[in-house]
Amino acid sequence: MLVRDAMTTVVLTIGPQHTLRQAAALMAARRVGAAVVHDPDAGGIGILTERDILNSVGLGQNPDTERAHDHTTTDVVFAAPAWTLEEAARAMAHGGFRHLVVLDRGEITGVVSVRDIIRCWAPARRHEHVPA
């Protein structure tokens, strides 16, 4: 199975000046664990994850004043849609992160997460009646 088969194609993109609270609200509303941060002044594409927000709040920083730019990972590892899920999982394990931005010909086409990969690898849940 390939990254293109597992990735989310509707990508949440935010700006570098979004507060962490705004980013968290958007991520929660869309039920995603990461937002792509588009910052042309700082090199282009970064990623802000739920872990970045959690770390900030855990340090006592105010999510209403902290900006996405200051918590964005800018050394993003990109995946290609034609990567296998094994390649994506290996990149995540090696880098210690849970999301990959998917690029196709220089354009963002999706995000693939550990959860997406597990969903593809795990057998579908069966809703069987279990006798009491």
Side-chain angles (χ1 to χ4, degrees), residues 7 30 43 55 67 71 100 113 117-119 121 126 130:
M7 70 183 190
R30 299 216 177 134
N55 287 339
R67 302 291 174 185
H71 300 277
L100 291 169
S113 70
I117 293 171
I118 290 170
R119 199 174 289 128
W121 284 348
R126 294 191 319 202
V130 179

Side-chain angles (χ1 to χ4, degrees), residues 4 12 27 58 84 98 126 132:
R4 76 170 47 93
L12 173 60
M27 290 163 63
T84 65
R98 297 177 296 174
R126 294 191 319 202

Side-chain angles (χ1 to χ4, degrees), residues 42-115:
I45 300 171
I47 191 166
L48 179 74
T49 68
E50 57 198 356
R51 183 181 298 167
D52 298 323
I53 295 169
L54 181 66
N55 287 339
S56 175
V57 170
L59 290 171
Q61 297 174 335
N62 183 343
D64 291 315
T65 58
E66 289 296 313
R67 302 291 174 185
H69 169 77
D70 297 319
H71 300 277
T72 297
T73 299
T74 55
D75 58 341
V76 178
V77 175
F78 298 101
W83 279 17
T84 65
L85 294 185
E86 289 81 5
E87 289 173 299
R90 193 173 14 259
M92 290 178 192
H94 179 74
F97 44 79
R98 297 177 296 174
H99 298 87
L100 291 169
V101 176
V102 182
L103 288 184
D104 190 11
R105 296 181 188 100
E107 296 293 320
I108 298 171
T109 58
V111 173
V112 66
S113 70
V114 169
R115 180 176 289 159

